[in-house]
Amino acid sequence: MNSDSRTARTLSRAGAVVALALLAGGCSPPELPLVAVGKGPDGDVRALLRPCSDDALREVVLLRIDEKGDEADPAALDHWSARPPGTATGEQELSLFRLPKGWHGKAGSATKLAPGRDYSMWFVVGPDDTVRYKGTVDFTRADVEGLAPGRWWADGKAMSRTEFRARADDAC
């Protein structure tokens, strides 16, 4: 056996060990920048969800991700989780304060985002309990309030709907 074949065999074994470790330890599904938030013409805060290809959304979640210890404003959005009826594929646009007709879940009675709070919104794609990937966005009220008409907050910055779609398509 020459040194080249020993090196190849050692690299092959190392690769197998890494692959087994990843399988045994489990892997988190990829998080992709496939969600944007913005304001509708009426000032309503909207989310734009763009799954890859014709993948079906399984669940959409909005969560205030920080707790600062002070009392919550009952009119401020806290969290919700919803499932679309049947199979929701393709781009979806929805209000953060009202779920689309037929969706299962409850958005509550919030009418505004809390000041100085961080939010995260995501959707999951995958059959049954398997998550193939998550579409995500993190934002604050200030991020949304600072948007000009026609602009969306995604991937940590403001952009047009066309730019968001191109970035989402590239992420897929």
Side-chain angles (χ1 to χ4, degrees):
M1 176 183 292
N2 64 30
S3 68
D4 286 342
S5 63
R6 264 186 254 145
T7 301
R9 194 166 67 199
T10 300
L11 289 174
S12 176
R13 285 183 184 159
V17 168
V18 169
L20 286 173
L22 289 173
L23 287 173
C27 294
S28 296
E31 293 186 3
L32 306 174
L34 305 176
V35 180
V37 292
K39 293 183 284 192
D42 59 357
D44 184 36
V45 181
R46 315 278 305 159
L48 191 58
L49 315 174
R50 191 166 174 87
C52 298
S53 306
D54 287 330
D55 290 339
L57 300 174
R58 188 173 78 212
E59 183 175 21
V60 179
V61 176
L62 179 108
L63 182 64
R64 192 176 77 203
I65 57 175
D66 64 335
E67 291 296 328
K68 301 231 169 50
D70 51 350
E71 293 215 11
D73 179 346
L77 190 59
D78 188 44
H79 69 279
W80 55 257
S81 173
R83 292 179 179 265
T87 303
T89 60
E91 186 174 286
Q92 306 282 318
E93 185 174 335
L94 54 104
S95 170
L96 266 56
F97 305 111
R98 292 176 309 282
L99 297 180
K101 187 175 182 154
W103 283 45
H104 308 285
K106 186 174 180 186
S109 58
T111 58
K112 63 183 180 180
L113 297 172
R117 303 297 180 146
D118 297 327
Y119 288 91
S120 184
M121 184 169 198
W122 67 88
F123 65 81
V124 294
V125 168
D128 304 317
D129 291 332
T130 302
V131 177
R132 288 189 22 236
Y133 64 88
K134 289 171 62 175
T136 66
V137 68
D138 294 328
F139 63 97
T140 65
R141 182 169 111 174
D143 294 332
V144 175
E145 287 178 345
L147 294 172
R151 304 293 284 176
W152 293 85
W153 185 264
D155 204 17
K157 61 183 167 187
M159 60 187 71
S160 70
R161 184 184 290 250
T162 301
E163 289 170 306
F164 167 67
R165 287 175 172 158
R167 289 175 77 83
D169 290 346
D170 286 347
C172 290

